[in-house]
Amino acid sequence: MNISRNDNRTYHSLTLDNGLKVLLVQDKDSTKAAASMAVNAGHFDDPLDRQGLAHFLEHMLFLGTDKFPESGSFGNFVSQAGGNTNAWTGTEHTCYFFDINDQEFEHALEQFSRFFIAPLLSPAETEKERNAIDAEFKLKIKDDGRRIYQAHKETVNPAHPFSKFSVGNQQTLADRTLCISDELKSFFERYYQAQWMSLVVCSSANIATMQNWVTSLFGAIKGQAVKKPVIEAPLYRPQDLSKVLHIEPHKHMQKLIVSFAMPNIDDFYRHKTVSFIAHLLGYEGQGSLYSTLKEQGWINALSAGGGINGSNFKDFNISVALTDEGIEYYEDIVEMIFEYICLINQNVDKLPRLYQDKKNLLQIAFDNQEKARLIDWVSNLSINMQHYDEPNYVQGDYLMVGFNESAHNMAMQWLTPHNMRLVLIHPDVEPEHKTKWYHTPYRVESISTCWLEALCEINTPLPEMLLPTANPYLTKEVTLHELDQPQPHPRLLVKEPGFDFWFKQDNTFRVAKGHFYLAMDSDFAVKDIKHMALTRLFADLFMDSVAEQFYPAELAGLSYHLTSHQGGLTLHTAGLSSSQLELVDELLNALFNVTICAKRFAEYKKQLVRHWRNSNQNKPVGELFSVLGAKVMPWNPEPEQLATALKDTSFHQFNCFRKEFFNALHVESFLHGNWRESDAIEFQKKVAQHLAKSATIADLTRPLFEIDKITRTQLELNCNDHAMVIYYQAQTDEVAEKVKMMALNHLINQDYFNELRTNQQLGYLVGAGYAPFNTRAGMAFYVQSPDYSALTLLERHNEFIAKFLATLSQLDEQQWQQQKHGLTTHIAEKDKNLRLRSQRLWLAIGNQDHHFHMQKKLLNALKELTLAQMIIYIRSTFDDNRPRYELLSVPKMKKQTKEAVYSHSL
């Protein structure tokens, strides 16, 4: 099996007698274990009269099996053992996955295996879970992704399974003459067969042990030597192409998607033919399609290569975010796309060199691959096993074996006007139809024959259009440096007034990568809400202004982001270490000197105001959390406040702000990765030179509002759903209370979900979570419901808390130690990769934890925490008079109000 040079895992693949494909992975460094099962069955397999059945079955598998009949028992077991579990249903695949404390893995595997052998699918549970499916459907009824997707479904070949409704609801999943559980069993028997499944199992156990587990536990899955029936119907008939699909979004959006129909492209994966074409069309450097269209003032963003795909189809999409002006010129944009396609077709001889650049980059990326979160990695791998041959299970996504001219020419023949559909998403649609399930207004019109002929005649690219050139960031050899004297923690190399520079050479992950953080605090970032809004606008405008200049850096495995934080701006770069410091040098030069034009200021100001005003179309729970964040953190205003403050700001005021922001700064920086201390010393001198003209200020302390009374706020929101958020803030900053909050969350969150979501069926969005703000610990409970008022949700919440308190005395020492063990696993989990290590160390620097021992302090505090102390803490937290925020929503009636009902003891 082809694996990365820095991958120290051991792999072993096998096929069980029943046809189940298995990949066993030993990871000696991991304290967690994980497994994932991918099933080659999805919503395409739904019976026509039972749309959403595959999705319903996915939910039902978690609600009891023959040997473990208790509903939700697997989720409870995994959660208490420091793990997570989830699943998703796609078009042709369904995937189930979990991670867990290594010691509990065998028992978890035993429970997991019964999902695929003998799920109960009991009639009693189907009633509850159908309500959950319906709540999930209603939750997303105004989600533009779902709404646009449904319009797409209704305008393809109705004989293709893509046209089916994938989610399901009360209507499609209702009981008929018999309970639907019988149909679920029939679906399971037909499609959940071993030969259509792929299993990944990863733990610290040796391969032989895992093979014994898998053979004994999963060998009983039914299987037979049958191939999955192929989909015969094409996604598009001739009459479905050469169309413009106008879709009206729920939130303000202006987007053009130029879509080309392709057949299945799995056979291209070794050469990445279609991905390489997407790379050429999505390039953002000088002379690119993006650059040409942006110069016209018509677009804000462009991407190529996305789109739906499956076993007999692929949509190749070129997606363009349009300006207000761009929407008027969408035909011209389409013409320019064909002019750039013409440029590619006329320069096939130059493509092998560009392909080689891309191939080299992918190989470097693969060789310097970092470990992802185990649960994500195994789930991706189980899907890869459905698509790639065995040697390429791991490398398949990175493989580019060479430029294949005949395959390239074949793929380019699909990028033609007559093989095209246009999707135009904008608010001013004159609709002729509404989609069945999501009520999306849309209109379909044929592209005129005259225009199609004109597009076919395009044979000359615009003179300013250019293919990508040799990448300047690839000139340096990628070298893994020898280690200096290993240091356990970052060291403060430079401490001057207003400027701290921390450095740590990575001696753990040994990849030729690194991260650099630079946080700039300025009094002008927090002078008032207008300045807070301008800080965010400047970050967006900077990224826009340098996009073309630094796009080659992105292609060379480097990334950069300027983002706003409470008090200022943070520049973060990441990726290959060989050219990263030169990139930072150029970015800092641009930060102080890049020209931002008035036209882009006006465009981005308008887009940002729209974005903030659109936030009132978000899910009610999301809006309530936004209000909560603004109440607790004064430097984090509500979106509507930011929009109002920014709307009347002039370009002159923006330029004054930009100058004032950089006049006086407090700077904290951190370099971590594949560099030597001598590199860091030279580099910090360059950083200091860029900052030399700025005066210094003291570090800004993020203000925090301390909750000292019970405050209930009721908000009218622009949504039919109701929502509730209850927030308890820790009363101190002490580590002992942080751990108590974490332990409380660990004890309660799964029961809260099971009771209010699974048993009471209050809604789809239900949860409890540890929620710190500005380093102060906290605990949040939330419920969103299409059927119950916020006051009812609050009553149910209070009833749950009362029952939870009543059963506290039943928690014995053995159970408490199990809970502590699960939480210990969670807190003690090692950083999986350099990125996570850098994030943790940078967070510690920002939180003034200059000994970098928060993890150790939390573990020590947890070790000392007794059951008696915990029960006292829980009772005090849930005391009727405990200060807290209660945020409740009601659907909007006439005008939006945000009114505090009362702020005293309830």
Side-chain angles (χ1 to χ4, degrees):
M1 194 168 296
N2 303 323
I3 62 171
S4 170
R5 66 166 177 78
N6 69 327
D7 188 345
N8 60 356
R9 298 176 173 119
T10 304
Y11 295 83
H12 178 69
S13 61
L14 67 149
T15 302
L16 301 189
D17 291 342
N18 57 6
L20 176 67
K21 286 196 292 186
V22 180
L23 182 62
L24 306 173
V25 188
Q26 183 183 22
D27 186 345
K28 293 179 181 177
D29 300 331
S30 184
T31 55
K32 273 194 168 181
S36 176
M37 179 74 89
V39 185
N40 186 193
H43 91 76
F44 280 11
D45 300 298
D46 289 342
L48 276 173
D49 64 338
R50 279 302 195 194
Q51 296 182 33
L53 196 67
H55 180 215
F56 194 13
L57 178 62
E58 172 230 304
H59 280 236
M60 291 297 300
L61 292 199
F62 287 89
L63 302 181
T65 63
D66 59 344
K67 291 188 177 180
F68 305 94
E70 188 182 340
S71 174
S73 61
F74 181 69
N76 286 340
F77 177 79
V78 168
S79 175
Q80 288 169 12
N84 302 280
T85 183
N86 213 332
W88 54 258
T89 303
T91 54
E92 297 175 78
H93 294 90
T94 306
C95 193
Y96 303 82
F97 42 91
F98 73 93
D99 66 0
I100 197 167
N101 185 322
D102 214 24
Q103 293 100 309
E104 311 291 346
F105 188 46
E106 183 183 2
H107 188 43
L109 267 185
E110 182 186 4
Q111 295 183 56
F112 187 60
S113 69
R114 304 313 294 179
F115 281 28
F116 312 102
I117 297 166
L120 291 183
L121 307 177
S122 72
E125 296 293 345
T126 58
E127 182 60 38
K128 290 179 184 175
E129 209 54 31
R130 180 167 40 223
N131 292 336
I133 294 279
D134 194 63
E136 181 180 355
F137 161 67
K138 287 175 179 173
L139 174 73
K140 298 290 182 80
I141 211 152
K142 291 187 177 179
D143 178 87
D144 274 322
R146 292 275 178 98
R147 296 168 85 254
I148 292 163
Y149 197 51
Q150 190 61 34
H152 190 179
K153 283 173 170 289
E154 293 191 11
T155 55
V156 302
N157 179 2
H160 193 281
F162 179 74
S163 63
K164 294 176 185 176
F165 171 46
S166 58
V167 181
N169 61 14
Q170 287 279 18
Q171 183 179 337
T172 67
L173 300 172
D175 289 337
R176 293 173 185 162
T177 52
L178 296 172
C179 176
I180 196 172
S181 62
D182 293 332
E183 293 170 71
L184 285 164
K185 287 170 184 171
S186 296
F187 188 93
F188 176 84
E189 291 291 334
R190 181 173 179 185
Y191 292 106
Y192 275 56
Q193 298 204 25
Q195 75 276 7
W196 298 336
M197 298 182 182
S198 48
L199 173 69
V200 177
V201 172
C202 179
S203 77
S204 61
N206 62 51
I207 296 293
T209 300
M210 286 190 280
Q211 186 164 338
N212 286 336
W213 293 344
V214 166
T215 305
S216 63
L217 295 175
F218 294 87
I221 298 174
K222 291 177 183 172
Q224 51 187 310
V226 179
K227 284 193 172 183
K228 190 87 190 284
V230 297
I231 299 170
E232 300 288 354
L235 181 65
Y236 302 113
R237 302 161 299 180
Q239 64 263 40
D240 302 318
L241 297 170
S242 304
K243 292 284 192 286
V244 185
L245 175 57
H246 296 264
I247 302 175
E248 181 183 312
H250 178 60
K251 292 184 180 181
H252 189 282
M253 186 191 307
Q254 293 172 163
K255 191 173 184 179
L256 169 67
I257 302 171
V258 182
S259 185
F260 298 98
M262 293 183 173
N264 172 275
I265 60 164
D266 281 357
D267 289 345
F268 288 123
Y269 91 84
R270 288 180 180 79
H271 299 279
K272 297 290 184 293
T273 300
V274 174
S275 299
F276 179 62
I277 293 168
H279 158 69
L280 297 173
L281 286 163
Y283 182 69
E284 293 183 13
Q286 185 182 359
S288 63
L289 177 61
Y290 165 85
S291 175
T292 308
L293 292 169
K294 186 180 168 188
E295 188 67 27
Q296 295 289 334
W298 294 343
I299 73 164
N300 288 324
L302 181 149
S303 64
I308 60 167
N309 64 87
S311 58
N312 80 332
F313 66 94
K314 158 72 181 167
D315 269 0
F316 183 95
N317 288 352
I318 301 168
S319 300
V320 183
L322 300 169
T323 63
D324 287 350
E325 191 179 356
I327 198 86
E328 304 295 328
Y329 289 94
Y330 82 89
E331 294 100 334
D332 302 78
I333 293 171
V334 173
E335 288 169 21
M336 286 190 179
I337 287 171
F338 280 105
E339 282 158 345
Y340 201 86
I341 287 171
C342 183
L343 177 74
I344 296 170
N345 285 333
Q346 290 178 3
N347 289 276
V348 176
D349 59 317
K350 296 177 183 174
L351 299 184
R353 181 189 56 77
L354 296 175
Y355 181 98
Q356 191 61 39
D357 264 7
K358 183 73 176 168
K359 178 185 176 180
N360 291 345
L361 280 168
L362 272 188
Q363 189 60 49
I364 291 168
F366 184 64
D367 283 340
N368 289 278
Q369 202 179 357
E370 298 181 67
K371 285 184 176 177
R373 229 171 47 125
L374 199 58
I375 191 170
D376 300 329
W377 184 72
V378 295
S379 60
N380 289 337
L381 207 49
S382 67
I383 292 294
N384 280 4
M385 291 171 70
Q386 296 276 337
H387 295 288
Y388 302 145
D389 55 343
E390 185 184 312
N392 294 313
Y393 285 167
V394 178
Q395 194 184 8
D397 292 341
Y398 295 85
L399 201 61
M400 286 183 84
V401 297
F403 182 69
N404 184 325
E405 188 171 337
S406 63
H408 171 84
N409 291 337
M410 182 194 300
M412 290 302 293
Q413 287 172 15
W414 294 319
L415 306 187
T416 60
H418 288 284
N419 195 41
M420 173 181 74
R421 279 165 54 104
L422 302 179
V423 181
L424 199 59
I425 304 161
H426 59 108
D428 301 321
V429 174
E430 296 175 4
E432 294 174 349
H433 312 281
K434 278 196 174 183
T435 62
K436 182 173 182 181
W437 302 109
Y438 294 88
H439 315 301
T440 319
Y442 73 96
R443 176 167 57 89
V444 183
E445 62 180 0
S446 297
I447 299 174
S448 75
T449 307
C450 293
W451 190 39
L452 282 174
E453 289 173 359
L455 292 174
C456 289
E457 289 170 5
I458 292 173
N459 60 10
T460 308
L462 295 179
E464 62 266 34
M465 287 180 167
L466 301 168
L467 288 174
T469 54
N471 196 316
Y473 294 95
L474 284 178
T475 53
K476 279 197 170 184
E477 189 177 344
V478 178
T479 305
L480 194 62
H481 293 305
E482 293 293 320
L483 289 175
D484 294 336
Q485 184 66 33
Q487 300 289 335
H489 304 299
R491 289 202 305 124
L492 187 57
L493 282 190
V494 173
K495 183 167 181 60
E496 295 173 353
F499 180 62
D500 290 352
F501 188 96
W502 296 81
F503 170 69
K504 184 180 187 313
Q505 183 183 41
D506 168 57
N507 58 346
T508 305
F509 301 104
R510 303 300 288 144
V511 287
K513 291 182 176 181
H515 291 258
F516 174 68
Y517 293 90
L518 182 86
M520 296 164 283
D521 280 3
S522 168
D523 289 324
F524 280 91
V526 289
K527 185 178 176 184
D528 52 34
I529 292 179
K530 176 174 279 195
H531 283 70
M532 294 177 201
L534 282 168
T535 304
R536 299 173 196 206
L537 176 63
F538 175 72
D540 287 353
L541 278 168
F542 174 78
M543 292 297 289
D544 175 71
S545 300
V546 300
E548 184 178 316
Q549 180 184 352
F550 295 115
Y551 190 70
E554 288 192 62
L555 291 182
L558 294 164
S559 66
Y560 62 93
H561 296 281
L562 185 71
T563 53
S564 60
H565 65 250
Q566 291 180 68
L569 294 163
T570 298
L571 178 67
H572 172 218
T573 64
L576 296 175
S577 54
S578 50
S579 300
Q580 192 174 156
L581 303 188
E582 287 86 341
L583 171 65
V584 175
D585 192 31
E586 293 167 359
L587 281 165
L588 288 174
N589 183 54
L591 194 63
F592 290 92
N593 301 308
V594 73
T595 300
I596 294 173
C597 73
K599 190 173 183 180
R600 295 308 284 171
F601 163 80
E603 176 64 25
Y604 266 77
K605 184 181 89 166
K606 181 168 59 183
Q607 295 290 349
L608 199 49
V609 168
R610 275 179 185 163
H611 168 72
W612 282 327
R613 294 233 153 113
N614 264 341
S615 69
N616 66 10
Q617 307 288 333
N618 288 344
K619 294 192 288 286
V621 156
E623 282 201 66
L624 293 185
F625 271 111
S626 179
V627 171
L628 173 65
K631 284 180 176 293
V632 178
M633 299 180 291
W635 287 355
N636 188 52
E638 289 181 47
E640 183 58 42
Q641 295 176 300
L642 291 164
T644 301
L646 186 60
K647 190 173 185 305
D648 300 324
T649 306
S650 70
F651 186 50
H652 172 72
Q653 288 174 315
F654 169 77
N655 283 324
C656 291
F657 161 80
R658 180 182 177 184
K659 184 179 177 184
E660 289 165 339
F661 181 97
F662 291 111
N663 275 345
L665 300 170
H666 180 276
V667 176
E668 191 112 51
S669 54
F670 174 42
L671 184 68
H672 177 222
N674 178 44
W675 292 289
R676 297 157 297 196
E677 187 169 313
S678 56
D679 300 323
I681 291 167
E682 285 302 307
F683 174 60
Q684 73 80 21
K685 289 175 185 174
K686 287 188 178 181
V687 174
Q689 284 173 4
H690 287 289
L691 301 167
K693 292 180 182 176
S694 301
T696 59
I697 60 170
D699 191 8
L700 298 181
T701 304
R702 281 57 166 154
L704 180 78
F705 180 80
E706 297 208 359
I707 303 172
D708 57 5
K709 59 189 173 187
I710 300 168
T711 303
R712 182 182 297 173
T713 304
Q714 200 158 310
L715 301 96
E716 284 192 359
L717 300 182
N718 190 22
C719 183
N720 293 328
D721 277 13
H722 310 260
M724 170 210 84
V725 170
I726 311 296
Y727 185 70
Y728 298 89
Q729 184 184 59
Q731 296 180 317
T732 69
D733 273 324
E734 292 173 7
V735 171
E737 190 172 8
K738 280 192 203 317
V739 157
K740 286 173 183 173
M741 274 286 182
M742 289 178 176
L744 172 55
N745 173 54
H746 193 70
L747 283 166
I748 204 171
N749 65 5
Q750 195 65 36
D751 288 342
Y752 192 79
F753 177 86
N754 288 344
E755 177 57 30
L756 300 190
R757 158 82 151 69
T758 306
N759 294 337
Q760 296 190 30
Q761 295 291 304
L762 295 185
Y764 185 73
L765 270 185
V766 177
Y770 177 72
F773 287 117
N774 285 357
T775 75
R776 178 68 67 88
M779 179 87 189
F781 296 86
Y782 60 90
V783 184
Q784 181 173 316
S785 174
D787 303 315
Y788 298 91
S789 73
L791 283 171
T792 302
L793 300 179
L794 180 59
E795 286 172 16
R796 300 290 184 90
H797 165 83
N798 289 336
E799 287 169 7
F800 173 87
I801 296 298
K803 287 178 185 174
F804 180 76
L805 291 172
T807 58
L808 265 183
S809 57
Q810 297 170 20
L811 185 65
D812 61 32
E813 187 61 31
Q814 183 182 355
Q815 291 169 320
W816 169 238
Q817 291 303 325
Q818 285 175 340
Q819 294 282 354
K820 278 177 71 170
H821 184 61
L823 183 56
T824 299
T825 300
H826 177 71
I827 295 173
E829 190 170 0
K830 293 178 182 176
D831 302 315
K832 284 280 180 221
N833 53 47
L834 184 69
R835 177 180 60 83
L836 292 173
R837 174 72 52 85
S838 295
Q839 282 177 355
R840 182 174 61 78
L841 295 173
W842 175 239
L843 192 66
I845 290 168
N847 292 338
Q848 307 294 312
D849 175 21
H850 294 162
H851 295 289
F852 304 95
H853 57 5
M854 178 54 74
Q855 188 180 43
K856 187 176 179 182
K857 286 168 74 174
L858 288 169
L859 289 170
N860 287 338
L862 179 59
K863 188 177 179 182
E864 299 298 320
L865 183 60
T866 67
L867 176 57
Q869 291 170 332
M870 194 62 214
I871 288 175
I872 291 168
Y873 183 74
I874 292 170
R875 287 184 172 143
S876 71
T877 300
F878 292 138
D879 184 273
D880 288 344
N881 297 315
R882 166 69 182 250
R884 62 186 178 271
Y885 273 139
E886 297 180 349
L887 295 140
L888 309 176
S889 82
V890 292
K892 184 177 179 182
M893 299 302 289
K894 291 180 181 176
K895 61 181 183 177
Q896 187 169 335
T897 60
K898 295 185 177 178
E899 177 188 354
V901 179
Y902 36 78
S903 299
H904 53 77
S905 294
L906 297 174

